Amino acid sequence: MQEINKEYQPLIVAFCCNWCSYAGADLAGSSRLSYPANVKIIRVPCSCRVNPMFILKAFQRGADGVIMCGCHPGDCHYTTGNYYARRRMTLLFDMLDYLGIEKERTRVEWVSAAEGVKFSNVMNEFAAKICELGENKRLEDLRCKE
Amino acid sequence: MQRIGVFVCWCGSNIAATVDVKRVAETLGQEPGVVYSADYQYMCSENGQQLIKTAIKEHGLTGIVVCSCSPRMHEATFRKTAESAGLNPYMVEIANIREQVSWIHKDIEEATVKAIILGRTAIAKLLLNTPLTAGETGVTKRALVIGGGIAGIQTALDIAEAGYEVDIVEQRPTIGGRMAQLDKTFPTLDCAACILTPKMVDCAQNEKIDILSYSEVEEVKGFVGNFTVKIRKKARYIDEKKCTGCGICMSVCPSKKGLNEFNMNLNNRPAAYIPFAQAIPNVAVIDPEQCIKLKTGKCGLCSMKCEAKAIDYTQQDSFVERNYGAIVVATGFKIADLKYFNEYGYADNKDVITSLELERLMNAAGPTKGTLLRPSDNTHPHVITFIQCVGSRDISGCGKPYCSKICCMYTAKHAMLIREKYPDTEVHVFYIDVRTPGKNYDEFYRRAVEQYDVDYIKGMVGKVYNENGKLMVQGSDLLSNEQITIASDLVVLAAAIEPEPSVRKIATLLTTSIDTNNFLTEAHAKLRPVESPTAGIFLSGMCQGPKDIPETVSQASACAAKVIGLLAKDKLKCNPCVSISDDSMCIGCGTCANVCPYGAITYVDKEFRLGGGKTEVRRVASVNEAVCQGCGACTVACPSGAIDLKGFTTKQIMAEVEAVCKR
């Protein structure tokens, strides 16, 4: 694949729950609300399906920022999934911060299926923040680079 | 090794205008595992699906990736396509290159590259997919309708008409809901009671319908086709089976200070009461807050006078547990709290009332027996001012951002009825916009203006204050650009409507979603408006959004049709994307059962062979596939990594992460 842009383009992985945030992203799409192309969405059934390993893996493979989006507290399709996710991520992000992955590189956001505007705003803000922070080299596994 | 086919959809120009679809198809065609790739204008069309089917057969494909719109849109479509070509439906992955690519990015190069990455990610996942088979469950042929207003009544009647049993759970002592409180209905001006009460009687007489009034849903377990619901029957202190509805208890009850909720608290009612004459069930109820016997132990007049011996002061809340195949939410609405709108003086002036209070004041069965009298001094008001959009279309945060939809029409109705009955009354209406879409609606509003001389003033009201017994309504007339003050006798506020507050608890019990305004969310705003995103839960009436009676009734019938469609099935296919535990890795710690919101995980003792003829018995997790909904909470909680989620396995998501991170 050819290089399209020589300037720095951060890579952002967004985990979105199927019921709220993925639908919110769809709404952002159908409302034509743009956000940077380097945000890549991975669909999970619920935010509680996001294993901390997935986030570590993303950083290892060179992601510059990871964001997890779920239903608003109290609105989880599976009743309580997002509460588990919130606790896990609080612990994980603290640990990552300790390891030198700045807290700003990780984020949890609640986006409902009706919040296309919020989805696009959050992604734009997050991408801008990651641009400021620059490349993440702390956890990147250089052996994975071709 | 898998043989994967990639199909790139143009979606007309929706995708093809910003994504170089040919290049996407070509590049993805060279990915390892991919043996066929194609692009087509509309993959979801008959021809597009045919192309997929032919390719599956000709190239012996074991899995397909469709690069198209959101999986929420057409995943089911393409799964069916694959199935009809002999492929397992779960060997299909969708790369969302419309909502996530072509609709939000303008640069063709950037969009094409992203589309390729998303395609690769889908391929990476598909390489690890395994064929899944959906299990089957039976369907309980009985429906539950929560809420007994016009929406619930219509839904229940239609379901019963098709031959299925229905229970209506209503939190108030009678069914009928808000419509029972109304005087006349627009645009035909027929009386609400005349068209509603026959339907209420139909419900009571229909042997398929069971009305559980003064009851609330307490607990919901299960899933589509197989819900178990626990219902709390609140203590009425009256034996429903014995009470004849004669009303003697009402007339002898010495405690008459309870506020009459049915009359919007405009007058009082006894502690033992029947909400209104046509109540269904026509059974009294005792308000424990007001009853002297229940509070002090002295009195018991009603019990002495009751010929049917129906009074039972010792009654307690009781519970019933029933099984249902489908649940309909029809919880309706209430008038929004006006505490943030002090400028209209609602709290301080008795003669500033809401439209629903006016309905009761004009109703022949209301507190004034249908004569329009001011609440403060029971005199006839000569100048009446209506204020529209009180709390609706308000983005300040105090009110509701949405339009309550019914206010323009009912205000025109009120104005017309008042001018008809009391031609000496002056009627003013302050409005922001008059919104009257609907059959015969605008004609109705024009009649109010042209035939009945109602004074419509475009502008907002800044303040309502009391001056020498007159309510001074200060507002602006935007058309003449003047500040005006109208000295009125009665001010009627078209207050915003909001969902009945109990809907939040019900939504949580049913694990269905609710929007920021507390309205229940439909599965698809346009194409699935009466179903909730949770399978087996349906929406009827105002709980889904503001609507008038004709719309509510249409939605209620539509909802019934969907319920009947579900109940008519003997077997339902389950979601095969459920958790599965690997016995050899499970340590039986119990963590997964703790986090499971559905109680789908239990523990069983299993015998394992250790070799050398020895065996041991270990406690391991066992997932009930019919109960598991596939959230995946257990997979992350499991310390030994024994539990995985089919369709979203740890390996699959890891592969996706790797694929998106590949630059």
Side-chain angles (χ1 to χ4, degrees), chain A residues 4 9 18 26 33-35 39 43 48-49 57 64 78-79 84, chain B residues 70 72 75 104-105 109 114 511 595 635-636 648 650 658 663:
Chain A
I4 45 157
Q9 289 275 347
N18 181 43
D26 277 355
L33 300 164
S34 74
Y35 51 86
V39 174
R43 183 164 73 126
C48 69
R49 178 65 189 96
K57 181 83 160 185
D64 301 306
Y78 304 102
T79 329
Y84 293 125
Chain B
S70 168
R72 291 172 58 90
E75 191 172 50
I104 50 167
H105 306 314
E109 180 62 28
K114 185 172 177 183
T511 65
V595 297
T635 58
V636 185
F648 289 96
T650 305
E658 249 172 68
R663 302 223 187 199

PDB file of all heavy atoms in Angstrom, chain A residues 4 9 18 26 33-35 39 43 48-49 57 64 78-79 84, chain B residues 70 72 75 104-105 109 114 511 595 635-636 648 650 658 663:
ATOM      1  N   ILE A   4       0.133   7.579   1.792  1.00  0.00           N
ATOM      2  CA  ILE A   4      -0.702   8.645   1.240  1.00  0.00           C
ATOM      3  C   ILE A   4      -0.329  10.002   1.813  1.00  0.00           C
ATOM      4  O   ILE A   4      -0.407  11.009   1.147  1.00  0.00           O
ATOM      5  CB  ILE A   4      -2.208   8.387   1.488  1.00  0.00           C
ATOM      6  CG1 ILE A   4      -2.444   7.934   2.909  1.00  0.00           C
ATOM      7  CG2 ILE A   4      -2.782   7.425   0.474  1.00  0.00           C
ATOM      8  CD1 ILE A   4      -3.846   8.197   3.360  1.00  0.00           C
ATOM      9  N   GLN A   9       0.131  10.956  11.002  1.00  0.00           N
ATOM     10  CA  GLN A   9      -1.293  10.621  11.119  1.00  0.00           C
ATOM     11  C   GLN A   9      -1.448   9.645  12.278  1.00  0.00           C
ATOM     12  O   GLN A   9      -1.023   8.509  12.164  1.00  0.00           O
ATOM     13  CB  GLN A   9      -1.780   9.926   9.846  1.00  0.00           C
ATOM     14  CG  GLN A   9      -1.889  10.814   8.639  1.00  0.00           C
ATOM     15  CD  GLN A   9      -3.212  11.557   8.594  1.00  0.00           C
ATOM     16  OE1 GLN A   9      -4.128  11.233   9.336  1.00  0.00           O
ATOM     17  NE2 GLN A   9      -3.294  12.547   7.739  1.00  0.00           N
ATOM     18  N   ASN A  18     -22.208  -2.607  20.191  1.00  0.00           N
ATOM     19  CA  ASN A  18     -23.117  -2.781  19.054  1.00  0.00           C
ATOM     20  C   ASN A  18     -24.398  -1.965  19.190  1.00  0.00           C
ATOM     21  O   ASN A  18     -24.947  -1.502  18.216  1.00  0.00           O
ATOM     22  CB  ASN A  18     -23.448  -4.269  18.954  1.00  0.00           C
ATOM     23  CG  ASN A  18     -24.358  -4.580  17.797  1.00  0.00           C
ATOM     24  OD1 ASN A  18     -24.165  -4.053  16.706  1.00  0.00           O
ATOM     25  ND2 ASN A  18     -25.354  -5.407  18.027  1.00  0.00           N
ATOM     26  N   ASP A  26     -22.955   5.080  13.295  1.00  0.00           N
ATOM     27  CA  ASP A  26     -23.770   4.984  12.074  1.00  0.00           C
ATOM     28  C   ASP A  26     -24.551   6.271  11.865  1.00  0.00           C
ATOM     29  O   ASP A  26     -24.682   6.762  10.749  1.00  0.00           O
ATOM     30  CB  ASP A  26     -24.760   3.809  12.179  1.00  0.00           C
ATOM     31  CG  ASP A  26     -24.104   2.489  11.793  1.00  0.00           C
ATOM     32  OD1 ASP A  26     -22.931   2.516  11.359  1.00  0.00           O
ATOM     33  OD2 ASP A  26     -24.763   1.436  11.914  1.00  0.00           O
ATOM     34  N   LEU A  33     -21.455  13.603   9.414  1.00  0.00           N
ATOM     35  CA  LEU A  33     -20.618  14.340  10.357  1.00  0.00           C
ATOM     36  C   LEU A  33     -19.237  13.715  10.324  1.00  0.00           C
ATOM     37  O   LEU A  33     -19.056  12.579  10.742  1.00  0.00           O
ATOM     38  CB  LEU A  33     -21.198  14.236  11.770  1.00  0.00           C
ATOM     39  CG  LEU A  33     -22.610  14.794  11.928  1.00  0.00           C
ATOM     40  CD1 LEU A  33     -23.244  14.302  13.214  1.00  0.00           C
ATOM     41  CD2 LEU A  33     -22.580  16.303  11.898  1.00  0.00           C
ATOM     42  N   SER A  34     -18.262  14.451   9.816  1.00  0.00           N
ATOM     43  CA  SER A  34     -16.974  13.819   9.572  1.00  0.00           C
ATOM     44  C   SER A  34     -16.112  13.777  10.831  1.00  0.00           C
ATOM     45  O   SER A  34     -16.299  14.565  11.754  1.00  0.00           O
ATOM     46  CB  SER A  34     -16.236  14.554   8.463  1.00  0.00           C
ATOM     47  OG  SER A  34     -15.752  15.760   8.975  1.00  0.00           O
ATOM     48  N   TYR A  35     -15.229  12.793  10.838  1.00  0.00           N
ATOM     49  CA  TYR A  35     -14.172  12.709  11.836  1.00  0.00           C
ATOM     50  C   TYR A  35     -12.976  12.085  11.144  1.00  0.00           C
ATOM     51  O   TYR A  35     -13.110  11.528  10.050  1.00  0.00           O
ATOM     52  CB  TYR A  35     -14.634  11.923  13.078  1.00  0.00           C
ATOM     53  CG  TYR A  35     -15.249  10.568  12.822  1.00  0.00           C
ATOM     54  CD1 TYR A  35     -14.458   9.434  12.695  1.00  0.00           C
ATOM     55  CD2 TYR A  35     -16.628  10.443  12.713  1.00  0.00           C
ATOM     56  CE1 TYR A  35     -15.035   8.194  12.454  1.00  0.00           C
ATOM     57  CE2 TYR A  35     -17.208   9.205  12.469  1.00  0.00           C
ATOM     58  CZ  TYR A  35     -16.409   8.086  12.342  1.00  0.00           C
ATOM     59  OH  TYR A  35     -16.988   6.875  12.106  1.00  0.00           O
ATOM     60  N   VAL A  39      -9.403   7.124  12.527  1.00  0.00           N
ATOM     61  CA  VAL A  39     -10.153   6.466  13.600  1.00  0.00           C
ATOM     62  C   VAL A  39     -10.744   5.189  13.015  1.00  0.00           C
ATOM     63  O   VAL A  39     -11.491   5.228  12.042  1.00  0.00           O
ATOM     64  CB  VAL A  39     -11.284   7.374  14.127  1.00  0.00           C
ATOM     65  CG1 VAL A  39     -12.137   6.617  15.132  1.00  0.00           C
ATOM     66  CG2 VAL A  39     -10.717   8.632  14.739  1.00  0.00           C
ATOM     67  N   ARG A  43     -16.213  -3.381  16.230  1.00  0.00           N
ATOM     68  CA  ARG A  43     -17.520  -3.611  16.843  1.00  0.00           C
ATOM     69  C   ARG A  43     -17.449  -4.737  17.860  1.00  0.00           C
ATOM     70  O   ARG A  43     -16.950  -5.816  17.548  1.00  0.00           O
ATOM     71  CB  ARG A  43     -18.537  -3.965  15.751  1.00  0.00           C
ATOM     72  CG  ARG A  43     -19.949  -4.161  16.270  1.00  0.00           C
ATOM     73  CD  ARG A  43     -20.957  -4.107  15.146  1.00  0.00           C
ATOM     74  NE  ARG A  43     -20.903  -5.311  14.318  1.00  0.00           N
ATOM     75  CZ  ARG A  43     -21.985  -6.073  14.047  1.00  0.00           C
ATOM     76  NH1 ARG A  43     -23.150  -5.731  14.511  1.00  0.00           N
ATOM     77  NH2 ARG A  43     -21.857  -7.136  13.289  1.00  0.00           N
ATOM     78  N   CYS A  48     -18.416  -4.325  27.828  1.00  0.00           N
ATOM     79  CA  CYS A  48     -17.824  -5.269  28.778  1.00  0.00           C
ATOM     80  C   CYS A  48     -17.117  -6.420  28.052  1.00  0.00           C
ATOM     81  O   CYS A  48     -16.474  -7.240  28.685  1.00  0.00           O
ATOM     82  CB  CYS A  48     -18.868  -5.811  29.744  1.00  0.00           C
ATOM     83  SG  CYS A  48     -20.065  -6.894  28.979  1.00  0.00           S
ATOM     84  N   ARG A  49     -17.239  -6.503  26.728  1.00  0.00           N
ATOM     85  CA  ARG A  49     -16.516  -7.523  25.974  1.00  0.00           C
ATOM     86  C   ARG A  49     -15.075  -7.088  25.730  1.00  0.00           C
ATOM     87  O   ARG A  49     -14.253  -7.882  25.295  1.00  0.00           O
ATOM     88  CB  ARG A  49     -17.238  -7.801  24.634  1.00  0.00           C
ATOM     89  CG  ARG A  49     -16.559  -8.827  23.721  1.00  0.00           C
ATOM     90  CD  ARG A  49     -16.566 -10.208  24.372  1.00  0.00           C
ATOM     91  NE  ARG A  49     -15.777 -11.219  23.680  1.00  0.00           N
ATOM     92  CZ  ARG A  49     -14.524 -11.546  24.001  1.00  0.00           C
ATOM     93  NH1 ARG A  49     -13.886 -10.900  24.961  1.00  0.00           N
ATOM     94  NH2 ARG A  49     -13.895 -12.506  23.364  1.00  0.00           N
ATOM     95  N   LYS A  57      -2.790  -4.880  23.194  1.00  0.00           N
ATOM     96  CA  LYS A  57      -2.408  -5.352  21.863  1.00  0.00           C
ATOM     97  C   LYS A  57      -2.365  -4.174  20.880  1.00  0.00           C
ATOM     98  O   LYS A  57      -1.443  -4.066  20.091  1.00  0.00           O
ATOM     99  CB  LYS A  57      -3.440  -6.382  21.394  1.00  0.00           C
ATOM    100  CG  LYS A  57      -3.158  -6.987  20.035  1.00  0.00           C
ATOM    101  CD  LYS A  57      -2.189  -8.109  20.188  1.00  0.00           C
ATOM    102  CE  LYS A  57      -2.218  -9.068  19.024  1.00  0.00           C
ATOM    103  NZ  LYS A  57      -1.338 -10.207  19.303  1.00  0.00           N
ATOM    104  N   ASP A  64      -1.852   4.844  18.480  1.00  0.00           N
ATOM    105  CA  ASP A  64      -1.431   6.006  19.260  1.00  0.00           C
ATOM    106  C   ASP A  64      -2.473   6.397  20.298  1.00  0.00           C
ATOM    107  O   ASP A  64      -2.184   7.151  21.215  1.00  0.00           O
ATOM    108  CB  ASP A  64      -1.170   7.184  18.320  1.00  0.00           C
ATOM    109  CG  ASP A  64      -0.101   6.837  17.304  1.00  0.00           C
ATOM    110  OD1 ASP A  64       0.981   6.426  17.721  1.00  0.00           O
ATOM    111  OD2 ASP A  64      -0.381   6.926  16.084  1.00  0.00           O
ATOM    112  N   TYR A  78     -27.358  -4.756  28.004  1.00  0.00           N
ATOM    113  CA  TYR A  78     -27.252  -5.943  28.849  1.00  0.00           C
ATOM    114  C   TYR A  78     -27.293  -5.551  30.328  1.00  0.00           C
ATOM    115  O   TYR A  78     -26.679  -6.200  31.168  1.00  0.00           O
ATOM    116  CB  TYR A  78     -25.964  -6.699  28.538  1.00  0.00           C
ATOM    117  CG  TYR A  78     -25.816  -7.086  27.086  1.00  0.00           C
ATOM    118  CD1 TYR A  78     -24.998  -6.368  26.238  1.00  0.00           C
ATOM    119  CD2 TYR A  78     -26.515  -8.169  26.565  1.00  0.00           C
ATOM    120  CE1 TYR A  78     -24.862  -6.716  24.900  1.00  0.00           C
ATOM    121  CE2 TYR A  78     -26.380  -8.524  25.236  1.00  0.00           C
ATOM    122  CZ  TYR A  78     -25.555  -7.801  24.412  1.00  0.00           C
ATOM    123  OH  TYR A  78     -25.415  -8.144  23.101  1.00  0.00           O
ATOM    124  N   THR A  79     -27.962  -4.475  30.625  1.00  0.00           N
ATOM    125  CA  THR A  79     -28.180  -3.953  31.983  1.00  0.00           C
ATOM    126  C   THR A  79     -26.944  -3.382  32.673  1.00  0.00           C
ATOM    127  O   THR A  79     -26.932  -2.224  33.051  1.00  0.00           O
ATOM    128  CB  THR A  79     -28.785  -5.022  32.926  1.00  0.00           C
ATOM    129  OG1 THR A  79     -29.584  -5.892  32.157  1.00  0.00           O
ATOM    130  CG2 THR A  79     -29.638  -4.392  33.995  1.00  0.00           C
ATOM    131  N   TYR A  84     -19.139  -2.793  34.392  1.00  0.00           N
ATOM    132  CA  TYR A  84     -17.935  -3.627  34.462  1.00  0.00           C
ATOM    133  C   TYR A  84     -16.825  -2.996  33.634  1.00  0.00           C
ATOM    134  O   TYR A  84     -15.679  -2.909  34.056  1.00  0.00           O
ATOM    135  CB  TYR A  84     -18.210  -5.041  33.929  1.00  0.00           C
ATOM    136  CG  TYR A  84     -19.158  -5.838  34.771  1.00  0.00           C
ATOM    137  CD1 TYR A  84     -20.296  -6.410  34.221  1.00  0.00           C
ATOM    138  CD2 TYR A  84     -18.913  -6.028  36.126  1.00  0.00           C
ATOM    139  CE1 TYR A  84     -21.174  -7.148  34.988  1.00  0.00           C
ATOM    140  CE2 TYR A  84     -19.790  -6.761  36.906  1.00  0.00           C
ATOM    141  CZ  TYR A  84     -20.923  -7.319  36.335  1.00  0.00           C
ATOM    142  OH  TYR A  84     -21.781  -8.038  37.098  1.00  0.00           O
TER     143      TYR A  84
ATOM    144  N   SER B  70     -23.684  -0.323   6.970  1.00  0.00           N
ATOM    145  CA  SER B  70     -23.523  -0.827   8.333  1.00  0.00           C
ATOM    146  C   SER B  70     -24.127  -2.223   8.499  1.00  0.00           C
ATOM    147  O   SER B  70     -25.172  -2.519   7.940  1.00  0.00           O
ATOM    148  CB  SER B  70     -24.204   0.132   9.302  1.00  0.00           C
ATOM    149  OG  SER B  70     -24.306  -0.449  10.570  1.00  0.00           O
ATOM    150  N   ARG B  72     -25.682  -3.192  10.871  1.00  0.00           N
ATOM    151  CA  ARG B  72     -26.990  -3.010  11.487  1.00  0.00           C
ATOM    152  C   ARG B  72     -28.082  -2.903  10.446  1.00  0.00           C
ATOM    153  O   ARG B  72     -29.249  -3.056  10.726  1.00  0.00           O
ATOM    154  CB  ARG B  72     -26.992  -1.758  12.368  1.00  0.00           C
ATOM    155  CG  ARG B  72     -26.132  -1.898  13.600  1.00  0.00           C
ATOM    156  CD  ARG B  72     -26.009  -0.572  14.318  1.00  0.00           C
ATOM    157  NE  ARG B  72     -27.308  -0.048  14.685  1.00  0.00           N
ATOM    158  CZ  ARG B  72     -27.926  -0.296  15.834  1.00  0.00           C
ATOM    159  NH1 ARG B  72     -27.344  -1.048  16.721  1.00  0.00           N
ATOM    160  NH2 ARG B  72     -29.100   0.213  16.091  1.00  0.00           N
ATOM    161  N   GLU B  75     -26.712  -6.872   7.581  1.00  0.00           N
ATOM    162  CA  GLU B  75     -26.042  -8.115   7.964  1.00  0.00           C
ATOM    163  C   GLU B  75     -27.011  -9.295   7.812  1.00  0.00           C
ATOM    164  O   GLU B  75     -26.671 -10.328   7.240  1.00  0.00           O
ATOM    165  CB  GLU B  75     -25.543  -8.029   9.399  1.00  0.00           C
ATOM    166  CG  GLU B  75     -24.610  -9.162   9.775  1.00  0.00           C
ATOM    167  CD  GLU B  75     -23.981  -8.950  11.146  1.00  0.00           C
ATOM    168  OE1 GLU B  75     -24.731  -8.678  12.109  1.00  0.00           O
ATOM    169  OE2 GLU B  75     -22.753  -9.043  11.251  1.00  0.00           O
ATOM    170  N   ILE B 104     -18.445   9.969   5.498  1.00  0.00           N
ATOM    171  CA  ILE B 104     -17.814  10.950   6.390  1.00  0.00           C
ATOM    172  C   ILE B 104     -16.472  11.464   5.870  1.00  0.00           C
ATOM    173  O   ILE B 104     -15.942  12.419   6.416  1.00  0.00           O
ATOM    174  CB  ILE B 104     -17.637  10.397   7.816  1.00  0.00           C
ATOM    175  CG1 ILE B 104     -16.977   9.016   7.791  1.00  0.00           C
ATOM    176  CG2 ILE B 104     -18.974  10.322   8.547  1.00  0.00           C
ATOM    177  CD1 ILE B 104     -16.503   8.577   9.143  1.00  0.00           C
ATOM    178  N   HIS B 105     -15.919  10.804   4.859  1.00  0.00           N
ATOM    179  CA  HIS B 105     -14.648  11.305   4.337  1.00  0.00           C
ATOM    180  C   HIS B 105     -14.839  11.807   2.924  1.00  0.00           C
ATOM    181  O   HIS B 105     -15.602  11.236   2.146  1.00  0.00           O
ATOM    182  CB  HIS B 105     -13.589  10.198   4.363  1.00  0.00           C
ATOM    183  CG  HIS B 105     -13.431   9.587   5.729  1.00  0.00           C
ATOM    184  ND1 HIS B 105     -13.334  10.358   6.859  1.00  0.00           N
ATOM    185  CD2 HIS B 105     -13.379   8.290   6.140  1.00  0.00           C
ATOM    186  CE1 HIS B 105     -13.222   9.559   7.902  1.00  0.00           C
ATOM    187  NE2 HIS B 105     -13.263   8.300   7.506  1.00  0.00           N
ATOM    188  N   GLU B 109      -8.595   9.258  -1.955  1.00  0.00           N
ATOM    189  CA  GLU B 109      -7.458   8.424  -1.601  1.00  0.00           C
ATOM    190  C   GLU B 109      -7.578   7.938  -0.149  1.00  0.00           C
ATOM    191  O   GLU B 109      -7.465   6.735   0.139  1.00  0.00           O
ATOM    192  CB  GLU B 109      -6.173   9.245  -1.811  1.00  0.00           C
ATOM    193  CG  GLU B 109      -4.885   8.521  -1.483  1.00  0.00           C
ATOM    194  CD  GLU B 109      -4.664   7.281  -2.357  1.00  0.00           C
ATOM    195  OE1 GLU B 109      -5.170   7.280  -3.496  1.00  0.00           O
ATOM    196  OE2 GLU B 109      -4.012   6.326  -1.886  1.00  0.00           O
ATOM    197  N   LYS B 114      -8.850   3.664   3.751  1.00  0.00           N
ATOM    198  CA  LYS B 114      -9.566   3.228   4.953  1.00  0.00           C
ATOM    199  C   LYS B 114     -10.486   2.045   4.630  1.00  0.00           C
ATOM    200  O   LYS B 114     -10.567   1.079   5.394  1.00  0.00           O
ATOM    201  CB  LYS B 114     -10.378   4.378   5.547  1.00  0.00           C
ATOM    202  CG  LYS B 114     -11.037   3.987   6.873  1.00  0.00           C
ATOM    203  CD  LYS B 114     -11.690   5.157   7.569  1.00  0.00           C
ATOM    204  CE  LYS B 114     -12.395   4.706   8.845  1.00  0.00           C
ATOM    205  NZ  LYS B 114     -13.108   5.790   9.509  1.00  0.00           N
ATOM    206  N   THR B 511     -34.426  -4.372  30.016  1.00  0.00           N
ATOM    207  CA  THR B 511     -33.162  -4.137  29.327  1.00  0.00           C
ATOM    208  C   THR B 511     -33.371  -3.611  27.913  1.00  0.00           C
ATOM    209  O   THR B 511     -32.771  -4.057  26.951  1.00  0.00           O
ATOM    210  CB  THR B 511     -32.260  -5.403  29.255  1.00  0.00           C
ATOM    211  OG1 THR B 511     -32.919  -6.385  28.457  1.00  0.00           O
ATOM    212  CG2 THR B 511     -31.954  -5.951  30.603  1.00  0.00           C
ATOM    213  N   VAL B 595     -20.748 -12.173  37.349  1.00  0.00           N
ATOM    214  CA  VAL B 595     -20.915 -11.001  36.481  1.00  0.00           C
ATOM    215  C   VAL B 595     -22.054 -11.177  35.481  1.00  0.00           C
ATOM    216  O   VAL B 595     -22.482 -10.203  34.876  1.00  0.00           O
ATOM    217  CB  VAL B 595     -19.619 -10.637  35.717  1.00  0.00           C
ATOM    218  CG1 VAL B 595     -18.517 -10.242  36.679  1.00  0.00           C
ATOM    219  CG2 VAL B 595     -19.179 -11.750  34.789  1.00  0.00           C
ATOM    220  N   THR B 635     -16.432 -13.337  29.590  1.00  0.00           N
ATOM    221  CA  THR B 635     -15.183 -13.669  28.898  1.00  0.00           C
ATOM    222  C   THR B 635     -14.026 -12.862  29.447  1.00  0.00           C
ATOM    223  O   THR B 635     -12.896 -13.341  29.504  1.00  0.00           O
ATOM    224  CB  THR B 635     -15.299 -13.374  27.394  1.00  0.00           C
ATOM    225  OG1 THR B 635     -15.631 -12.001  27.242  1.00  0.00           O
ATOM    226  CG2 THR B 635     -16.354 -14.214  26.738  1.00  0.00           C
ATOM    227  N   VAL B 636     -14.314 -11.610  29.838  1.00  0.00           N
ATOM    228  CA  VAL B 636     -13.235 -10.762  30.334  1.00  0.00           C
ATOM    229  C   VAL B 636     -12.977 -11.058  31.808  1.00  0.00           C
ATOM    230  O   VAL B 636     -11.859 -10.965  32.284  1.00  0.00           O
ATOM    231  CB  VAL B 636     -13.581  -9.276  30.111  1.00  0.00           C
ATOM    232  CG1 VAL B 636     -12.421  -8.393  30.503  1.00  0.00           C
ATOM    233  CG2 VAL B 636     -13.946  -9.041  28.650  1.00  0.00           C
ATOM    234  N   PHE B 648     -17.615 -13.582  18.557  1.00  0.00           N
ATOM    235  CA  PHE B 648     -16.735 -12.475  18.960  1.00  0.00           C
ATOM    236  C   PHE B 648     -15.645 -13.041  19.865  1.00  0.00           C
ATOM    237  O   PHE B 648     -15.452 -12.605  20.989  1.00  0.00           O
ATOM    238  CB  PHE B 648     -17.520 -11.399  19.718  1.00  0.00           C
ATOM    239  CG  PHE B 648     -18.461 -10.597  18.856  1.00  0.00           C
ATOM    240  CD1 PHE B 648     -19.807 -10.930  18.764  1.00  0.00           C
ATOM    241  CD2 PHE B 648     -17.993  -9.506  18.129  1.00  0.00           C
ATOM    242  CE1 PHE B 648     -20.671 -10.195  17.966  1.00  0.00           C
ATOM    243  CE2 PHE B 648     -18.866  -8.762  17.340  1.00  0.00           C
ATOM    244  CZ  PHE B 648     -20.208  -9.105  17.251  1.00  0.00           C
ATOM    245  N   THR B 650     -12.044 -14.038  21.532  1.00  0.00           N
ATOM    246  CA  THR B 650     -10.869 -13.234  21.861  1.00  0.00           C
ATOM    247  C   THR B 650      -9.898 -13.235  20.684  1.00  0.00           C
ATOM    248  O   THR B 650      -9.362 -12.200  20.309  1.00  0.00           O
ATOM    249  CB  THR B 650     -10.197 -13.812  23.125  1.00  0.00           C
ATOM    250  OG1 THR B 650     -11.193 -13.857  24.142  1.00  0.00           O
ATOM    251  CG2 THR B 650      -9.034 -12.970  23.583  1.00  0.00           C
ATOM    252  N   GLU B 658      -5.086  -6.310  15.329  1.00  0.00           N
ATOM    253  CA  GLU B 658      -3.849  -6.391  14.559  1.00  0.00           C
ATOM    254  C   GLU B 658      -4.053  -5.828  13.155  1.00  0.00           C
ATOM    255  O   GLU B 658      -3.226  -5.088  12.648  1.00  0.00           O
ATOM    256  CB  GLU B 658      -3.413  -7.853  14.449  1.00  0.00           C
ATOM    257  CG  GLU B 658      -2.159  -8.134  15.225  1.00  0.00           C
ATOM    258  CD  GLU B 658      -1.851  -9.602  15.257  1.00  0.00           C
ATOM    259  OE1 GLU B 658      -1.521 -10.155  14.192  1.00  0.00           O
ATOM    260  OE2 GLU B 658      -1.960 -10.199  16.357  1.00  0.00           O
ATOM    261  N   ARG B 663      -0.160  -0.638   9.250  1.00  0.00           N
ATOM    262  CA  ARG B 663      -0.174   0.595   8.448  1.00  0.00           C
ATOM    263  C   ARG B 663       0.133   0.293   6.999  1.00  0.00           C
ATOM    264  O   ARG B 663       0.850  -0.613   6.692  1.00  0.00           O
ATOM    265  CB  ARG B 663       0.880   1.552   8.984  1.00  0.00           C
ATOM    266  CG  ARG B 663       0.631   1.857  10.435  1.00  0.00           C
ATOM    267  CD  ARG B 663       0.808   3.303  10.708  1.00  0.00           C
ATOM    268  NE  ARG B 663       0.721   3.523  12.155  1.00  0.00           N
ATOM    269  CZ  ARG B 663       0.482   4.706  12.690  1.00  0.00           C
ATOM    270  NH1 ARG B 663       0.297   5.749  11.916  1.00  0.00           N
ATOM    271  NH2 ARG B 663       0.415   4.840  13.979  1.00  0.00           N
TER     272      ARG B 663
END
